[in-house]
Amino acid sequence: MSSEWAQNTWFQSVCIFFSIESVIPVSLSQAFTIMDQNRDGFIDKNDLRDTFAALGRLNVKQEEIDDMLKEAPGPINFTVFLTMFGEKLKGADPEETILNAFKVFDPEGKGVLRKDYVTQMLTTQADRFSAEEMEQMFAAFPPDVAGNLDYKNLVHIITHGEEKDQE
């Protein structure tokens, strides 16, 4: 049951939430609007810094932001944003792509996220999960006794439909 649920509801919702693998222009339009914090039609350094802050990453190095902006051929308007997403997704491994999305919220690389933090992010950002969807997710993928969600195993189940062998 958890595999079927994971491959349908969770995968689609995570993809939309993180705007990854979702090449539906409406979702990407929403992602662009969220990132264009000052609403000038372009994503710049300040927009990226504000977006990271909204996601809980307050100490992003200026070099990291500069590197991100260097990937664009010029100012990042919606058309450039779409093109960049298309290039990033071309040939991308879905498992690696989803893992990278989770890693944004796990700067220490522990492979787990606190249940309350996951709940907060998924119920307050972008395409928000309902309380029922959160219950379904945690029933299918229960956190450990310390309240941590093993997102590496979760991503493996989402993309492969089976639990990863413990190493």
Side-chain angles (χ1 to χ4, degrees), residues 98-152:
I98 299 170
L99 267 175
N100 286 337
F102 275 107
K103 287 178 184 177
V104 167
F105 301 101
D106 182 22
E108 296 173 10
K110 295 179 179 178
V112 296
L113 294 171
R114 300 279 312 148
K115 175 187 176 185
D116 54 347
Y117 182 66
V118 172
T119 300
Q120 176 193 3
M121 294 308 293
L122 293 178
T123 58
T124 62
Q125 305 292 321
D127 287 348
R128 298 177 178 145
F129 276 38
S130 68
E132 182 181 331
E133 289 170 320
M134 293 307 302
E135 286 176 29
Q136 289 173 346
M137 183 184 75
F138 290 127
F141 303 102
D144 64 18
V145 293
N148 295 312
L149 180 68
D150 178 355
Y151 70 81
K152 289 182 178 182

Side-chain angles (χ1 to χ4, degrees), residues 19 27-33 35 43 75-86:
S19 298
S27 295
L28 290 174
S29 174
Q30 290 171 341
F32 182 84
T33 301
M35 292 180 74
I43 297 174
I76 304 173
N77 61 16
F78 184 62
T79 304
V80 171
F81 182 76
L82 282 176
T83 303
M84 291 174 69
F85 252 93

Side-chain angles (χ1 to χ4, degrees), residues 46-102:
N46 292 330
D47 292 327
L48 288 176
R49 186 166 300 288
D50 291 345
T51 300
F52 275 118
L55 295 172
R57 285 194 59 200
L58 302 176
N59 298 321
V60 180
K61 295 178 183 170
Q62 186 62 44
E63 180 182 344
E64 185 178 352
I65 290 174
D66 290 341
D67 288 344
M68 291 173 72
L69 290 171
K70 286 178 189 173
E71 293 182 31
I76 304 173
N77 61 16
F78 184 62
T79 304
V80 171
F81 182 76
L82 282 176
T83 303
M84 291 174 69
F85 252 93
E87 290 171 359
K88 289 282 185 195
L89 294 176
K90 203 179 299 178
D93 173 19
E95 182 172 13
E96 182 181 342
T97 302
I98 299 170
L99 267 175
N100 286 337
F102 275 107

